[in-house]
mmCIF file of all heavy atoms in Angstrom:
data_model
loop_
_atom_site.group_PDB
_atom_site.id
_atom_site.type_symbol
_atom_site.label_atom_id
_atom_site.label_comp_id
_atom_site.label_asym_id
_atom_site.label_seq_id
_atom_site.Cartn_x
_atom_site.Cartn_y
_atom_site.Cartn_z
ATOM 1 N N SER A 15 98.824 1.894 -7.620
ATOM 2 C CA SER A 15 99.186 3.037 -8.338
ATOM 3 C C SER A 15 99.041 4.241 -7.323
ATOM 4 O O SER A 15 99.932 5.169 -7.355
ATOM 5 C CB SER A 15 98.487 3.241 -9.705
ATOM 6 O OG SER A 15 97.141 3.585 -9.434
ATOM 7 N N ALA A 16 98.018 4.256 -6.673
ATOM 8 C CA ALA A 16 97.764 5.334 -5.684
ATOM 9 C C ALA A 16 98.906 5.238 -4.514
ATOM 10 O O ALA A 16 99.353 6.299 -4.044
ATOM 11 C CB ALA A 16 96.490 5.335 -4.999
ATOM 12 N N VAL A 17 99.339 3.960 -4.134
ATOM 13 C CA VAL A 17 100.377 3.915 -3.113
ATOM 14 C C VAL A 17 101.717 4.409 -3.724
ATOM 15 O O VAL A 17 102.352 5.196 -3.127
ATOM 16 C CB VAL A 17 100.544 2.362 -2.752
ATOM 17 C CG1 VAL A 17 101.787 2.134 -1.983
ATOM 18 C CG2 VAL A 17 99.418 1.813 -1.990
ATOM 19 N N VAL A 18 101.927 4.215 -5.018
ATOM 20 C CA VAL A 18 103.190 4.733 -5.588
ATOM 21 C C VAL A 18 103.110 6.054 -5.676
ATOM 22 O O VAL A 18 104.077 6.779 -5.303
ATOM 23 C CB VAL A 18 103.327 4.115 -7.008
ATOM 24 C CG1 VAL A 18 104.436 4.820 -7.776
ATOM 25 C CG2 VAL A 18 103.726 2.504 -6.859
ATOM 26 N N ALA A 19 102.086 6.766 -6.049
ATOM 27 C CA ALA A 19 101.778 8.156 -6.223
ATOM 28 C C ALA A 19 101.983 8.730 -4.846
ATOM 29 O O ALA A 19 102.684 9.813 -4.635
ATOM 30 C CB ALA A 19 100.532 8.535 -6.851
ATOM 31 N N GLY A 20 101.322 8.222 -3.820
ATOM 32 C CA GLY A 20 101.489 8.767 -2.450
ATOM 33 C C GLY A 20 102.912 8.693 -1.905
ATOM 34 O O GLY A 20 103.270 9.635 -1.258
ATOM 35 N N THR A 21 103.575 7.531 -2.016
ATOM 36 C CA THR A 21 104.953 7.406 -1.603
ATOM 37 C C THR A 21 105.832 8.356 -2.282
ATOM 38 O O THR A 21 106.799 9.021 -1.596
ATOM 39 C CB THR A 21 105.358 5.899 -1.753
ATOM 40 O OG1 THR A 21 104.476 5.059 -1.116
ATOM 41 C CG2 THR A 21 106.755 5.754 -1.281
ATOM 42 N N THR A 22 105.718 8.491 -3.549
ATOM 43 C CA THR A 22 106.494 9.351 -4.424
ATOM 44 C C THR A 22 106.191 10.886 -3.806
ATOM 45 O O THR A 22 107.273 11.702 -3.575
ATOM 46 C CB THR A 22 106.254 9.360 -5.754
ATOM 47 O OG1 THR A 22 106.403 8.006 -6.216
ATOM 48 C CG2 THR A 22 107.172 10.171 -6.681
ATOM 49 N N ALA A 23 105.065 11.175 -3.671
ATOM 50 C CA ALA A 23 104.673 12.540 -3.195
ATOM 51 C C ALA A 23 105.379 12.761 -1.741
ATOM 52 O O ALA A 23 105.861 13.891 -1.506
ATOM 53 C CB ALA A 23 103.210 12.829 -3.013
ATOM 54 N N LEU A 24 105.359 11.701 -0.927
ATOM 55 C CA LEU A 24 105.931 12.000 0.465
ATOM 56 C C LEU A 24 107.470 12.147 0.305
ATOM 57 O O LEU A 24 108.101 12.895 0.997
ATOM 58 C CB LEU A 24 105.618 10.567 1.314
ATOM 59 C CG LEU A 24 106.099 10.770 2.746
ATOM 60 C CD1 LEU A 24 105.569 11.955 3.387
ATOM 61 C CD2 LEU A 24 105.732 9.395 3.461
ATOM 62 N N ILE A 25 108.052 11.321 -0.603
ATOM 63 C CA ILE A 25 109.552 11.476 -0.783
ATOM 64 C C ILE A 25 109.858 12.768 -1.308
ATOM 65 O O ILE A 25 110.733 13.539 -0.793
ATOM 66 C CB ILE A 25 109.917 10.298 -1.708
ATOM 67 C CG1 ILE A 25 109.959 8.964 -1.119
ATOM 68 C CG2 ILE A 25 111.413 10.586 -2.320
ATOM 69 C CD1 ILE A 25 110.236 7.833 -1.896
ATOM 70 N N GLU A 26 109.141 13.310 -2.329
ATOM 71 C CA GLU A 26 109.350 14.607 -3.002
ATOM 72 C C GLU A 26 109.165 15.655 -1.832
ATOM 73 O O GLU A 26 109.885 16.683 -1.767
ATOM 74 C CB GLU A 26 108.455 14.742 -4.155
ATOM 75 C CG GLU A 26 108.802 14.040 -5.211
ATOM 76 C CD GLU A 26 107.770 14.103 -6.396
ATOM 77 O OE1 GLU A 26 106.666 14.490 -6.109
ATOM 78 O OE2 GLU A 26 108.156 13.683 -7.602
ATOM 79 N N HIS A 27 108.075 15.430 -0.972
ATOM 80 C CA HIS A 27 107.860 16.249 0.119
ATOM 81 C C HIS A 27 108.942 16.550 1.029
ATOM 82 O O HIS A 27 109.363 17.625 1.406
ATOM 83 C CB HIS A 27 106.564 16.003 0.750
ATOM 84 C CG HIS A 27 106.084 16.754 1.952
ATOM 85 N ND1 HIS A 27 106.573 16.534 3.174
ATOM 86 C CD2 HIS A 27 105.260 17.855 2.004
ATOM 87 C CE1 HIS A 27 106.092 17.554 3.926
ATOM 88 N NE2 HIS A 27 105.321 18.248 3.194
ATOM 89 N N LYS A 28 109.511 15.418 1.365
ATOM 90 C CA LYS A 28 110.654 15.417 2.423
ATOM 91 C C LYS A 28 111.908 15.996 1.728
ATOM 92 O O LYS A 28 112.660 16.768 2.397
ATOM 93 C CB LYS A 28 110.982 13.979 2.865
ATOM 94 C CG LYS A 28 109.889 13.478 3.813
ATOM 95 C CD LYS A 28 110.211 12.046 4.290
ATOM 96 C CE LYS A 28 109.092 11.619 5.380
ATOM 97 N NZ LYS A 28 109.519 10.364 5.899
ATOM 98 N N GLN A 29 112.118 15.735 0.384
ATOM 99 C CA GLN A 29 113.214 16.409 -0.287
ATOM 100 C C GLN A 29 113.043 17.847 -0.420
ATOM 101 O O GLN A 29 113.986 18.502 -0.163
ATOM 102 C CB GLN A 29 113.420 15.797 -1.718
ATOM 103 C CG GLN A 29 113.817 14.391 -1.741
ATOM 104 C CD GLN A 29 113.828 13.871 -3.178
ATOM 105 O OE1 GLN A 29 113.135 14.292 -3.999
ATOM 106 N NE2 GLN A 29 114.438 12.745 -3.315
ATOM 107 N N ALA A 30 111.885 18.434 -0.665
ATOM 108 C CA ALA A 30 111.604 19.843 -0.536
ATOM 109 C C ALA A 30 111.779 20.345 0.746
ATOM 110 O O ALA A 30 112.470 21.549 0.933
ATOM 111 C CB ALA A 30 110.150 20.174 -1.056
ATOM 112 N N ALA A 31 111.386 19.705 1.797
ATOM 113 C CA ALA A 31 111.556 20.210 3.166
ATOM 114 C C ALA A 31 113.118 20.315 3.512
ATOM 115 O O ALA A 31 113.525 21.211 4.210
ATOM 116 C CB ALA A 31 110.931 19.266 4.316
ATOM 117 N N ALA A 32 113.885 19.307 3.085
ATOM 118 C CA ALA A 32 115.298 19.190 3.360
ATOM 119 C C ALA A 32 115.977 20.407 2.538
ATOM 120 O O ALA A 32 117.116 21.074 3.126
ATOM 121 C CB ALA A 32 115.894 17.975 2.826
ATOM 122 N N GLN A 33 115.600 20.832 1.424
ATOM 123 C CA GLN A 33 116.096 21.813 0.702
ATOM 124 C C GLN A 33 115.899 23.140 1.340
ATOM 125 O O GLN A 33 116.662 24.047 1.357
ATOM 126 C CB GLN A 33 115.590 21.934 -0.884
ATOM 127 C CG GLN A 33 116.100 20.724 -1.764
ATOM 128 C CD GLN A 33 115.509 20.672 -3.054
ATOM 129 O OE1 GLN A 33 114.595 21.512 -3.372
ATOM 130 N NE2 GLN A 33 116.039 19.827 -3.875
ATOM 131 N N GLU A 34 114.692 23.191 1.947
ATOM 132 C CA GLU A 34 114.430 24.487 2.663
ATOM 133 C C GLU A 34 115.366 24.754 3.898
ATOM 134 O O GLU A 34 115.612 25.930 4.234
ATOM 135 C CB GLU A 34 112.853 24.480 3.215
ATOM 136 C CG GLU A 34 111.939 24.717 2.171
ATOM 137 C CD GLU A 34 110.481 24.841 2.796
ATOM 138 O OE1 GLU A 34 110.357 24.770 4.025
ATOM 139 O OE2 GLU A 34 109.612 24.869 2.021
ATOM 140 N N THR A 35 115.603 23.708 4.478
ATOM 141 C CA THR A 35 116.495 23.845 5.784
ATOM 142 C C THR A 35 117.920 23.833 5.670
ATOM 143 O O THR A 35 118.721 24.083 6.382
ATOM 144 C CB THR A 35 116.093 22.614 6.745
ATOM 145 O OG1 THR A 35 116.462 21.395 6.081
ATOM 146 C CG2 THR A 35 114.645 22.621 7.207
ATOM 147 N N GLU A 36 118.308 23.527 4.328
ATOM 148 C CA GLU A 36 119.824 23.575 4.033
ATOM 149 C C GLU A 36 120.352 25.019 4.056
ATOM 150 O O GLU A 36 119.665 25.853 3.506
ATOM 151 C CB GLU A 36 120.141 22.909 2.667
ATOM 152 C CG GLU A 36 119.888 21.419 2.671
ATOM 153 C CD GLU A 36 120.225 21.036 1.131
ATOM 154 O OE1 GLU A 36 120.596 21.779 0.320
ATOM 155 O OE2 GLU A 36 120.158 19.764 0.854
ATOM 156 N N PRO A 37 121.453 25.158 4.780
ATOM 157 C CA PRO A 37 121.901 26.550 4.753
ATOM 158 C C PRO A 37 122.499 26.987 3.423
ATOM 159 O O PRO A 37 122.946 26.080 2.659
ATOM 160 C CB PRO A 37 123.193 26.539 5.697
ATOM 161 C CG PRO A 37 123.491 25.085 5.761
ATOM 162 C CD PRO A 37 122.268 24.328 5.505
ATOM 163 N N THR A 38 122.404 28.206 3.132
ATOM 164 C CA THR A 38 122.807 28.778 1.714
ATOM 165 C C THR A 38 124.063 29.484 1.987
ATOM 166 O O THR A 38 124.277 30.177 2.976
ATOM 167 C CB THR A 38 121.756 29.696 1.119
ATOM 168 O OG1 THR A 38 121.500 30.629 2.121
ATOM 169 C CG2 THR A 38 120.442 28.933 0.787
ATOM 170 N N ALA A 39 124.898 29.393 1.006
ATOM 171 C CA ALA A 39 126.155 30.154 1.112
ATOM 172 C C ALA A 39 125.982 31.559 0.816
ATOM 173 O O ALA A 39 125.237 31.834 -0.169
ATOM 174 C CB ALA A 39 127.249 29.433 0.205
#
C-alpha cells in the first residue's frame, strides 16, 4: 500500500511539474 501511495505521489508530482512548464495562452 505504501508502494502504491508512493508511486501515485510520484505520478501526481510529475503531472504537477508538467503543468507548471506548459506554456499558457
Side-chain angles (χ1 to χ4, degrees):
S15 68
V17 169
V18 169
T21 303
T22 305
L24 184 58
I25 291 168
E26 290 171 346
H27 180 273
K28 288 183 177 184
Q29 288 172 343
Q33 289 174 356
E34 278 182 12
T35 58
E36 287 179 2
T38 56

